[in-house]
Coordinates of all heavy atoms in Angstrom, one line a residue:
M466 N 0.8 -1.1 0.1 CA 0.0 -0.1 0.0 C 0.9 1.2 0.0 O 1.7 1.5 0.9 CB -0.9 -0.1 1.3 CG -1.8 1.2 1.3 SD -2.9 1.1 2.7 CE -3.0 2.6 3.3
P467 N 0.8 2.1 -1.0 CA 1.6 3.3 -1.1 C 1.2 4.3 0.0 O 0.0 4.4 0.3 CB 1.3 3.9 -2.4 CG 0.4 2.8 -3.2 CD -0.1 1.9 -2.1
N468 N 2.2 4.9 0.6 CA 1.9 5.9 1.6 C 2.2 7.2 1.2 O 3.4 7.7 1.2 CB 2.9 5.6 2.9 CG 2.4 6.3 4.1 OD1 1.7 7.3 4.0 ND2 2.8 5.9 5.3
L469 N 1.2 7.8 0.6 CA 1.4 9.2 -0.1 C 1.7 10.2 1.0 O 2.4 11.2 0.6 CB 0.0 9.5 -0.8 CG 0.0 10.7 -1.6 CD1 1.1 10.6 -2.7 CD2 -1.4 10.9 -2.3
L470 N 1.1 10.2 2.2 CA 1.5 11.2 3.2 C 3.1 11.2 3.6 O 3.7 12.3 3.6 CB 0.7 10.9 4.5 CG 0.7 12.0 5.6 CD1 0.2 13.3 5.0 CD2 -0.1 11.7 6.7
D471 N 3.6 10.0 3.7 CA 5.1 10.0 4.0 C 5.9 10.5 2.7 O 6.9 11.1 3.0 CB 5.5 8.6 4.3 CG 5.1 8.3 5.8 OD1 4.8 9.2 6.6 OD2 5.1 7.0 6.2
A472 N 5.4 10.1 1.6 CA 6.1 10.6 0.3 C 6.1 12.2 0.2 O 7.1 12.6 -0.2 CB 5.5 9.8 -0.9
T473 N 4.9 12.6 0.6 CA 4.8 14.1 0.5 C 5.7 14.8 1.6 O 6.3 15.8 1.3 CB 3.4 14.5 0.7 OG1 2.6 13.8 -0.3 CG2 3.2 16.0 0.5
R474 N 5.8 14.2 2.8 CA 6.6 14.8 3.8 C 8.1 14.7 3.4 O 8.8 15.7 3.6 CB 6.3 14.0 5.1 CG 5.1 14.3 5.8 CD 5.0 13.6 7.1 NE 3.7 13.8 7.7 CZ 3.0 12.9 8.4 NH1 3.6 11.7 8.6 NH2 1.9 13.2 8.9
Q475 N 8.4 13.5 2.8 CA 9.9 13.4 2.3 C 10.2 14.4 1.2 O 11.2 15.0 1.1 CB 10.1 12.0 1.8 CG 11.5 11.7 1.5 CD 12.5 11.8 2.6 OE1 12.3 11.5 3.8 NE2 13.7 12.4 2.3
Y476 N 9.2 14.6 0.4 CA 9.4 15.6 -0.7 C 9.6 17.0 -0.2 O 10.7 17.7 -0.6 CB 8.2 15.6 -1.7 CG 8.1 16.7 -2.5 CD1 8.7 16.6 -3.8 CD2 7.3 17.8 -2.4 CE1 8.7 17.6 -4.7 CE2 7.2 18.8 -3.3 CZ 7.8 18.7 -4.5 OH 7.8 19.7 -5.4
W477 N 8.8 17.4 0.9 CA 9.0 18.8 1.5 C 10.4 18.8 2.2 O 11.0 19.8 2.2 CB 7.9 19.1 2.3 CG 6.7 19.5 1.5 CD1 5.5 18.8 1.4 CD2 6.5 20.7 0.8 NE1 4.7 19.5 0.5 CE2 5.2 20.6 0.2 CE3 7.3 21.7 0.6 CZ2 4.8 21.7 -0.7 CZ3 6.9 22.8 -0.2 CH2 5.6 22.7 -0.9
R478 N 10.7 17.7 2.9 CA 12.1 17.7 3.6 C 13.2 17.9 2.6 O 14.0 18.6 2.7 CB 12.2 16.3 4.3 CG 11.8 16.4 5.8 CD 12.3 15.2 6.5 NE 11.0 14.6 7.0 CZ 10.4 13.4 6.7 NH1 11.0 12.6 5.8 NH2 9.4 13.0 7.2
N479 N 13.1 17.2 1.4 CA 14.1 17.3 0.4 C 14.1 18.7 -0.2 O 15.2 19.2 -0.5 CB 13.9 16.3 -0.7 CG 14.2 14.8 -0.2 OD1 14.9 14.6 0.7 ND2 13.7 13.9 -0.9
L480 N 12.9 19.3 -0.4 CA 12.9 20.7 -0.8 C 13.6 21.6 0.1 O 14.3 22.6 -0.3 CB 11.5 21.2 -1.2 CG 10.9 20.6 -2.4 CD1 9.4 21.2 -2.5 CD2 11.7 20.9 -3.6
D481 N 13.3 21.5 1.4 CA 13.9 22.4 2.4 C 15.4 22.1 2.4 O 16.2 23.2 2.5 CB 13.4 21.9 3.8 CG 11.9 22.4 4.0 OD1 11.5 23.3 3.2 OD2 11.2 21.8 4.9
Q482 N 15.9 20.9 2.3 CA 17.4 20.7 2.2 C 17.9 21.4 1.0 O 19.1 21.9 1.1 CB 17.6 19.3 2.2 CG 17.4 18.5 3.5 CD 17.5 17.0 3.5 OE1 17.7 16.5 2.4 NE2 17.3 16.3 4.6
L483 N 17.3 21.2 -0.2 CA 17.8 21.9 -1.4 C 17.8 23.4 -1.2 O 18.8 24.0 -1.6 CB 16.9 21.5 -2.5 CG 17.2 20.2 -3.3 CD1 16.1 20.1 -4.4 CD2 18.5 20.3 -3.8
E484 N 16.8 24.0 -0.6 CA 16.7 25.4 -0.4 C 17.9 25.9 0.5 O 18.7 26.9 0.3 CB 15.4 25.9 0.2 CG 15.3 27.3 0.4 CD 14.1 27.9 1.1 OE1 13.2 26.9 1.5 OE2 13.8 29.0 1.2
A485 N 18.1 25.1 1.6 CA 19.2 25.4 2.6 C 20.6 25.3 1.8 O 21.4 26.2 2.0 CB 19.1 24.4 3.8
A486 N 20.8 24.3 1.0 CA 22.1 24.1 0.4 C 22.3 25.3 -0.7 O 23.3 25.8 -0.9 CB 22.1 22.8 -0.5
Y487 N 21.1 25.7 -1.3 CA 21.2 26.8 -2.3 C 21.5 28.2 -1.5 O 22.5 29.0 -2.0 CB 19.9 27.0 -3.0 CG 19.9 28.2 -4.0 CD1 20.6 28.2 -5.1 CD2 19.1 29.3 -3.7 CE1 20.7 29.2 -6.0 CE2 19.1 30.4 -4.5 CZ 19.9 30.3 -5.7 OH 19.9 31.5 -6.5
Q488 N 20.9 28.3 -0.4 CA 21.2 29.5 0.4 C 22.7 29.6 1.0 O 23.2 30.8 1.0 CB 20.2 29.6 1.6 CG 18.7 29.8 1.3 CD 18.5 31.1 0.6 OE1 19.1 32.1 0.8 NE2 17.4 31.1 -0.2
R489 N 23.2 28.5 1.2 CA 24.6 28.4 1.6 C 25.5 28.5 0.5 O 26.8 28.7 0.6 CB 24.8 27.1 2.4 CG 24.3 27.0 3.7 CD 24.7 25.8 4.6 NE 24.5 24.6 3.8 CZ 23.4 23.8 4.0 NH1 22.5 24.0 4.8 NH2 23.3 22.6 3.3
G490 N 24.9 28.5 -0.8 CA 25.8 28.5 -2.0 C 26.5 27.2 -2.4 O 27.5 27.3 -3.1
E491 N 26.1 26.2 -1.9 CA 26.7 24.8 -2.1 C 26.2 24.4 -3.5 O 27.0 23.5 -4.2 CB 26.3 23.8 -1.1 CG 26.8 24.2 0.3 CD 26.3 23.2 1.4 OE1 25.5 22.4 1.0 OE2 26.8 23.4 2.5
I492 N 25.1 24.7 -4.0 CA 24.6 24.2 -5.4 C 24.1 25.4 -6.1 O 23.7 26.4 -5.5 CB 23.5 23.1 -5.2 CG1 22.3 23.6 -4.4 CG2 24.2 21.9 -4.6 CD1 21.2 22.6 -4.3
S493 N 24.1 25.3 -7.5 CA 23.7 26.3 -8.3 C 22.2 26.2 -8.5 O 21.6 25.2 -8.1 CB 24.4 26.2 -9.7 OG 23.9 25.1 -10.4
L494 N 21.7 27.3 -9.1 CA 20.2 27.3 -9.4 C 19.8 26.3 -10.5 O 18.8 25.6 -10.3 CB 19.8 28.7 -9.8 CG 18.3 29.0 -10.1 CD1 17.5 28.7 -8.7 CD2 17.9 30.4 -10.5
A495 N 20.7 26.1 -11.3 CA 20.4 25.0 -12.4 C 20.3 23.6 -11.8 O 19.4 22.9 -12.1 CB 21.4 25.1 -13.4
E496 N 21.2 23.4 -10.8 CA 21.2 22.1 -10.2 C 19.9 22.0 -9.3 O 19.4 20.9 -9.2 CB 22.4 21.9 -9.4 CG 22.7 20.6 -8.8 CD 23.9 20.4 -8.0 OE1 24.8 21.2 -8.2 OE2 24.1 19.4 -7.5
V497 N 19.5 23.0 -8.7 CA 18.3 23.0 -7.8 C 17.1 22.7 -8.7 O 16.3 21.9 -8.4 CB 18.1 24.3 -7.2 CG1 16.7 24.4 -6.6 CG2 19.1 24.6 -6.1
D498 N 17.1 23.3 -9.9 CA 15.9 23.0 -10.9 C 15.9 21.6 -11.3 O 14.9 20.9 -11.3 CB 16.1 23.9 -12.1 CG 15.7 25.3 -11.8 OD1 15.1 25.5 -10.8 OD2 16.1 26.2 -12.7
Q499 N 17.2 20.9 -11.5 CA 17.2 19.6 -11.9 C 16.7 18.7 -10.8 O 16.0 17.7 -11.1 CB 18.6 19.2 -12.4 CG 19.0 19.8 -13.6 CD 20.5 19.5 -13.9 OE1 21.3 19.1 -13.0 NE2 20.9 19.7 -15.2
R500 N 17.2 18.9 -9.6 CA 16.8 18.1 -8.5 C 15.3 18.2 -8.2 O 14.7 17.2 -7.8 CB 17.6 18.4 -7.3 CG 19.1 18.0 -7.4 CD 19.7 18.2 -6.1 NE 21.2 18.0 -6.3 CZ 22.1 18.0 -5.2 NH1 21.7 18.4 -4.0 NH2 23.4 17.8 -5.5
V501 N 14.8 19.4 -8.3 CA 13.4 19.6 -8.0 C 12.5 18.8 -9.1 O 11.5 18.2 -8.7 CB 13.0 21.0 -8.0 CG1 11.5 21.3 -8.1 CG2 13.5 21.7 -6.8
A502 N 13.0 18.9 -10.3 CA 12.3 18.0 -11.4 C 12.3 16.5 -11.0 O 11.3 15.9 -11.2 CB 13.0 18.3 -12.7
V503 N 13.4 16.1 -10.5 CA 13.5 14.6 -10.1 C 12.5 14.3 -9.0 O 11.8 13.3 -9.0 CB 14.9 14.2 -9.8 CG1 15.0 12.9 -9.1 CG2 15.8 14.2 -11.1
L504 N 12.5 15.3 -7.9 CA 11.7 15.0 -6.8 C 10.2 15.1 -7.1 O 9.5 14.3 -6.7 CB 12.0 16.2 -5.7 CG 13.3 16.1 -5.0 CD1 13.5 17.3 -4.1 CD2 13.4 14.8 -4.3
M505 N 9.8 16.0 -8.1 CA 8.4 16.1 -8.6 C 8.1 14.8 -9.2 O 7.0 14.2 -9.2 CB 8.2 17.4 -9.4 CG 8.3 18.6 -8.6 SD 8.2 20.0 -9.6 CE 6.6 19.9 -10.5
A506 N 9.0 14.3 -10.1 CA 8.8 13.0 -10.8 C 8.5 11.8 -9.8 O 7.5 11.0 -10.0 CB 9.9 12.7 -11.8
D507 N 9.4 11.7 -8.8 CA 9.2 10.7 -7.8 C 7.9 10.8 -7.1 O 7.2 9.8 -6.8 CB 10.3 10.7 -6.8 CG 11.7 10.4 -7.4 OD1 11.7 9.8 -8.5 OD2 12.7 10.7 -6.8
L508 N 7.5 12.1 -6.6 CA 6.3 12.2 -5.9 C 5.0 11.9 -6.9 O 4.1 11.3 -6.5 CB 6.1 13.6 -5.4 CG 4.8 14.0 -4.6 CD1 4.8 13.1 -3.3 CD2 4.9 15.4 -4.2
G509 N 5.1 12.3 -8.2 CA 4.1 12.0 -9.1 C 3.9 10.4 -9.2 O 2.8 9.9 -9.3
Q510 N 5.0 9.7 -9.2 CA 4.9 8.2 -9.3 C 4.2 7.6 -8.1 O 3.3 6.8 -8.2 CB 6.3 7.6 -9.5 CG 6.9 7.8 -10.8 CD 8.2 7.2 -10.9 OE1 8.9 6.8 -9.9 NE2 8.8 7.1 -12.1
E511 N 4.5 8.3 -6.9 CA 3.8 7.8 -5.7 C 2.4 8.2 -5.7 O 1.5 7.4 -5.3 CB 4.5 8.4 -4.5 CG 4.1 7.8 -3.2 CD 4.7 6.4 -2.9 OE1 5.7 6.1 -3.5 OE2 4.0 5.7 -2.1
R512 N 2.0 9.3 -6.2 CA 0.6 9.6 -6.3 C -0.1 8.7 -7.2 O -1.2 8.3 -7.0 CB 0.5 11.1 -6.8 CG 0.8 12.1 -5.7 CD 0.6 13.5 -6.3 NE 1.0 14.4 -5.2 CZ 1.2 15.7 -5.3 NH1 1.2 16.3 -6.5 NH2 1.4 16.5 -4.3
R513 N 0.5 8.5 -8.5 CA -0.2 7.5 -9.4 C -0.3 6.1 -8.7 O -1.3 5.5 -8.9 CB 0.6 7.5 -10.6 CG 0.5 8.7 -11.6 CD 1.1 8.5 -12.9 NE 2.5 8.4 -12.8 CZ 3.4 9.5 -12.8 NH1 2.8 10.6 -12.7 NH2 4.7 9.2 -12.8
A514 N 0.7 5.6 -8.1 CA 0.5 4.3 -7.3 C -0.5 4.3 -6.3 O -1.3 3.4 -6.2 CB 1.9 3.9 -6.7
A515 N -0.7 5.5 -5.6 CA -1.7 5.5 -4.6 C -3.1 5.5 -5.2 O -4.1 4.9 -4.7 CB -1.5 6.7 -3.6
L516 N -3.3 6.3 -6.3 CA -4.6 6.3 -7.0 C -4.9 5.0 -7.7 O -6.0 4.5 -7.6 CB -4.6 7.5 -8.1 CG -4.6 8.9 -7.5 CD1 -4.5 9.8 -8.7 CD2 -5.9 9.2 -6.8
R517 N -3.8 4.3 -8.2 CA -4.1 3.0 -8.7 C -4.5 2.0 -7.7 O -5.4 1.2 -7.9 CB -2.9 2.6 -9.4 CG -3.0 1.3 -10.3 CD -1.7 0.9 -11.0 NE -0.9 2.0 -11.5 CZ 0.3 2.3 -11.0 NH1 0.9 1.6 -10.0 NH2 1.0 3.3 -11.6
F518 N -3.9 2.1 -6.5 CA -4.2 1.3 -5.4 C -5.7 1.5 -5.0 O -6.5 0.5 -4.8 CB -3.3 1.5 -4.2 CG -3.6 0.7 -3.0 CD1 -3.2 -0.7 -2.9 CD2 -4.3 1.3 -1.9 CE1 -3.5 -1.4 -1.8 CE2 -4.6 0.6 -0.8 CZ -4.1 -0.8 -0.8
L519 N -6.1 2.8 -4.8 CA -7.5 3.1 -4.5 C -8.5 2.6 -5.5 O -9.5 2.0 -5.1 CB -7.6 4.6 -4.3 CG -9.0 5.2 -4.0 CD1 -9.4 4.7 -2.6 CD2 -8.9 6.7 -4.0
W520 N -8.2 2.9 -6.8 CA -9.1 2.4 -7.8 C -9.3 0.9 -7.8 O -10.3 0.4 -7.9 CB -8.6 2.9 -9.2 CG -9.5 2.6 -10.3 CD1 -9.3 1.7 -11.3 CD2 -10.7 3.1 -10.5 NE1 -10.3 1.6 -12.2 CE2 -11.3 2.6 -11.7 CE3 -11.6 4.1 -9.9 CZ2 -12.5 2.8 -12.2 CZ3 -12.8 4.3 -10.5 CH2 -13.3 3.7 -11.5
D521 N -8.1 0.2 -7.7 CA -8.2 -1.3 -7.7 C -9.0 -1.8 -6.5 O -9.9 -2.7 -6.7 CB -6.8 -1.9 -7.7 CG -6.1 -1.7 -9.0 OD1 -6.7 -1.4 -10.0 OD2 -4.8 -1.8 -8.9
N522 N -8.9 -1.1 -5.4 CA -9.8 -1.6 -4.2 C -11.2 -1.2 -4.4 O -12.1 -2.0 -4.0 CB -9.1 -1.0 -2.9 CG -7.9 -1.7 -2.4 OD1 -7.8 -2.8 -2.6 ND2 -7.1 -0.9 -1.7
L523 N -11.4 -0.1 -5.0 CA -12.9 0.2 -5.2 C -13.5 -0.7 -6.3 O -14.6 -1.2 -6.0 CB -13.0 1.7 -5.8 CG -12.8 2.8 -4.8 CD1 -12.8 4.1 -5.5 CD2 -13.9 2.8 -3.8
L524 N -12.8 -1.1 -7.2 CA -13.3 -2.1 -8.2 C -13.5 -3.4 -7.6 O -14.5 -4.1 -7.8 CB -12.4 -2.2 -9.5 CG -12.4 -1.0 -10.3 CD1 -11.4 -1.3 -11.6 CD2 -13.9 -0.8 -10.9
R525 N -12.6 -3.9 -6.8 CA -12.7 -5.1 -6.0 C -13.8 -5.2 -5.1 O -14.7 -6.2 -5.1 CB -11.4 -5.5 -5.3 CG -11.4 -6.8 -4.6 CD -10.1 -7.1 -3.9 NE -9.6 -6.1 -3.0 CZ -10.1 -5.9 -1.9 NH1 -11.0 -6.6 -1.3 NH2 -9.7 -4.9 -1.0
T526 N -14.0 -4.1 -4.4 CA -15.1 -4.0 -3.4 C -16.5 -4.0 -4.2 O -17.4 -4.6 -3.9 CB -15.0 -2.7 -2.7 OG1 -13.8 -2.6 -1.9 CG2 -16.2 -2.5 -1.6
W527 N -16.6 -3.3 -5.3 CA -17.7 -3.2 -6.2 C -18.1 -4.7 -6.6 O -19.2 -5.0 -6.6 CB -17.5 -2.3 -7.3 CG -18.7 -2.3 -8.3 CD1 -18.7 -2.8 -9.5 CD2 -20.1 -1.8 -8.1 NE1 -19.9 -2.7 -10.1 CE2 -20.7 -2.1 -9.3 CE3 -20.7 -1.2 -7.0 CZ2 -22.1 -1.8 -9.5 CZ3 -22.0 -0.8 -7.2 CH2 -22.7 -1.1 -8.4
S528 N -17.1 -5.3 -7.2 CA -17.4 -6.7 -7.7 C -17.7 -7.7 -6.6 O -18.6 -8.6 -6.8 CB -16.2 -7.2 -8.5 OG -15.1 -7.4 -7.6
E529 N -17.2 -7.5 -5.4 CA -17.5 -8.4 -4.3 C -18.8 -8.1 -3.6 O -19.5 -9.1 -3.2 CB -16.3 -8.5 -3.4 CG -15.2 -9.1 -3.8 CD -14.0 -9.0 -2.8 OE1 -14.2 -8.3 -1.8 OE2 -12.9 -9.5 -3.1
Q530 N -19.2 -6.9 -3.5 CA -20.4 -6.5 -2.8 C -21.4 -5.7 -3.6 O -22.0 -4.7 -3.1 CB -20.0 -5.8 -1.5 CG -19.0 -6.6 -0.7 CD -18.6 -5.9 0.6 OE1 -19.0 -4.8 0.8 NE2 -17.8 -6.6 1.4
R531 N -21.6 -6.0 -4.9 CA -22.4 -5.2 -5.7 C -23.9 -5.1 -5.2 O -24.5 -4.1 -5.3 CB -22.3 -5.7 -7.2 CG -23.1 -5.0 -8.1 CD -23.0 -5.5 -9.5 NE -21.6 -5.5 -9.9 CZ -21.0 -6.3 -10.8 NH1 -21.8 -7.1 -11.5 NH2 -19.7 -6.3 -11.0
D532 N -24.4 -6.3 -4.8 CA -25.7 -6.4 -4.3 C -26.0 -5.4 -3.1 O -27.0 -4.8 -3.0 CB -26.1 -7.8 -4.0 CG -26.2 -8.7 -5.2 OD1 -26.4 -8.2 -6.3 OD2 -26.1 -9.9 -5.0
L533 N -24.9 -5.4 -2.2 CA -25.1 -4.6 -1.0 C -25.2 -3.1 -1.4 O -26.0 -2.4 -0.9 CB -23.9 -4.9 -0.1 CG -23.8 -3.9 1.1 CD1 -25.0 -4.1 2.1 CD2 -22.5 -4.1 1.8
W534 N -24.2 -2.8 -2.3 CA -24.3 -1.3 -2.7 C -25.5 -1.0 -3.6 O -26.0 0.1 -3.3 CB -23.1 -1.0 -3.7 CG -21.7 -1.1 -2.9 CD1 -20.8 -2.0 -2.9 CD2 -21.3 -0.1 -2.0 NE1 -19.8 -1.6 -2.0 CE2 -20.1 -0.4 -1.4 CE3 -21.8 1.1 -1.5 CZ2 -19.4 0.3 -0.6 CZ3 -21.1 1.9 -0.6 CH2 -19.9 1.4 -0.1
L535 N -26.0 -1.8 -4.4 CA -27.2 -1.5 -5.1 C -28.4 -1.4 -4.2 O -29.3 -0.5 -4.4 CB -27.4 -2.5 -6.2 CG -26.5 -2.4 -7.4 CD1 -26.6 -3.6 -8.4 CD2 -26.5 -1.1 -8.1
G536 N -28.4 -2.3 -3.2 CA -29.6 -2.4 -2.2 C -29.5 -1.2 -1.4 O -30.6 -0.5 -1.1
T537 N -28.4 -0.7 -1.0 CA -28.4 0.5 -0.1 C -28.8 1.7 -0.9 O -29.5 2.5 -0.5 CB -26.9 0.7 0.4 OG1 -26.6 -0.6 1.1 CG2 -26.8 1.8 1.3
A538 N -28.3 1.8 -2.2 CA -28.7 2.9 -3.1 C -30.3 2.9 -3.3 O -30.8 4.0 -3.2 CB -28.0 2.8 -4.4
M539 N -30.8 1.8 -3.5 CA -32.4 1.7 -3.7 C -33.0 2.2 -2.4 O -34.0 2.9 -2.5 CB -32.8 0.3 -4.1 CG -32.3 -0.1 -5.4 SD -32.9 1.0 -6.7 CE -34.7 0.5 -6.7
V540 N -32.6 1.7 -1.2 CA -33.1 2.2 0.0 C -33.0 3.7 0.2 O -34.0 4.4 0.5 CB -32.6 1.4 1.2 CG1 -33.0 2.0 2.5 CG2 -33.0 0.0 1.2
L541 N -31.9 4.2 -0.1 CA -31.6 5.7 0.0 C -32.6 6.4 -1.0 O -33.2 7.5 -0.6 CB -30.3 6.1 -0.2 CG -29.2 5.5 0.9 CD1 -27.8 5.9 0.4 CD2 -29.6 6.3 2.2
V542 N -32.7 6.0 -2.2 CA -33.5 6.7 -3.2 C -35.0 6.6 -2.7 O -35.8 7.6 -2.7 CB -33.5 6.0 -4.5 CG1 -34.6 6.4 -5.5 CG2 -32.1 6.3 -5.1
L543 N -35.5 5.4 -2.2 CA -36.8 5.3 -1.7 C -37.1 6.3 -0.5 O -38.2 6.9 -0.4 CB -37.2 3.8 -1.3 CG -37.4 2.9 -2.5 CD1 -37.4 1.6 -2.0 CD2 -38.5 3.3 -3.4
C544 N -36.0 6.3 0.4 CA -36.3 7.3 1.6 C -36.3 8.7 1.1 O -37.1 9.5 1.6 CB -35.1 7.0 2.5 SG -35.1 5.4 3.5
Y545 N -35.6 9.1 0.1 CA -35.6 10.4 -0.4 C -37.0 10.8 -1.0 O -37.5 11.8 -0.8 CB -34.4 10.7 -1.4 CG -34.4 11.9 -2.0 CD1 -34.1 13.1 -1.4 CD2 -34.9 12.0 -3.4 CE1 -34.1 14.3 -2.1 CE2 -35.0 13.3 -4.0 CZ -34.6 14.4 -3.3 OH -34.6 15.7 -3.9
V546 N -37.4 9.7 -1.8 CA -38.7 10.0 -2.4 C -39.8 10.2 -1.4 O -40.7 11.0 -1.4 CB -39.0 8.9 -3.4 CG1 -40.5 8.8 -3.8 CG2 -38.1 8.9 -4.6
W547 N -39.8 9.3 -0.3 CA -40.7 9.3 0.7 C -40.8 10.6 1.6 O -41.8 11.1 1.8 CB -40.6 8.0 1.6 CG -41.4 8.0 2.8 CD1 -42.8 7.8 2.8 CD2 -41.2 8.2 4.2 NE1 -43.3 7.8 3.9 CE2 -42.4 8.0 4.9 CE3 -40.0 8.4 4.9 CZ2 -42.4 8.1 6.3 CZ3 -40.1 8.4 6.2 CH2 -41.3 8.3 6.9
I548 N -39.5 11.1 1.8 CA -39.4 12.4 2.5 C -39.8 13.5 1.7 O -40.4 14.5 2.2 CB -37.9 12.4 3.1 CG1 -37.6 11.5 4.2 CG2 -37.7 13.9 3.7 CD1 -36.3 11.3 4.6
S549 N -39.4 13.6 0.5 CA -39.8 14.8 -0.3 C -41.2 14.8 -0.7 O -41.6 15.9 -1.2 CB -38.8 14.6 -1.6 OG -39.1 13.6 -2.4
V550 N -42.0 13.6 -0.7 CA -43.3 13.7 -1.2 C -44.3 13.9 0.0 O -44.5 14.4 0.8 CB -43.7 12.4 -1.8 CG1 -45.2 12.3 -2.0 CG2 -43.0 12.1 -3.0

């Protein structure tokens, strides 16, 4: 299971480290831009993995418990009709 929250925290930590290194004059602006692009790509992969995991779980839940979801939806629709009329 991808942990998007930890990946985002690590991304911000790395950005803070890059900013500090740039402020100290240890790396150039061009190098900062390159490293930020790599960090953004890594975070993007983690986000895609998290969304893929969520989507796969939703599809699995839908296929395993379709009758429950449809029954619940029908009851909610009937309750809404009964309350609104």
Side-chain angles (χ1 to χ4, degrees):
M466 179 173 142
N468 193 341
L469 188 56
L470 188 58
D471 283 343
T473 304
R474 284 182 186 145
Q475 183 63 36
Y476 171 78
W477 284 108
R478 266 189 238 116
N479 290 339
L480 282 181
D481 290 342
Q482 290 172 355
L483 277 176
E484 181 183 10
Y487 176 73
Q488 295 293 333
R489 290 188 303 265
E491 296 173 356
I492 58 176
S493 67
L494 186 58
E496 190 174 347
V497 170
D498 288 342
Q499 290 175 344
R500 289 186 185 181
V501 167
V503 170
L504 290 174
M505 288 174 62
D507 291 344
L508 183 59
Q510 287 178 346
E511 190 70 24
R512 286 180 178 167
R513 284 188 293 278
L516 288 173
R517 191 176 322 111
F518 178 79
L519 176 64
W520 182 252
D521 289 343
N522 280 335
L523 286 173
L524 289 178
R525 183 179 48 81
T526 302
W527 171 255
S528 67
E529 290 175 355
Q530 300 180 1
R531 185 176 302 156
D532 293 340
L533 173 68
W534 289 107
L535 291 175
T537 302
M539 291 299 292
V540 167
L541 290 173
V542 167
L543 289 173
C544 286
Y545 174 75
V546 169
W547 178 66
I548 289 172
S549 65
V550 172

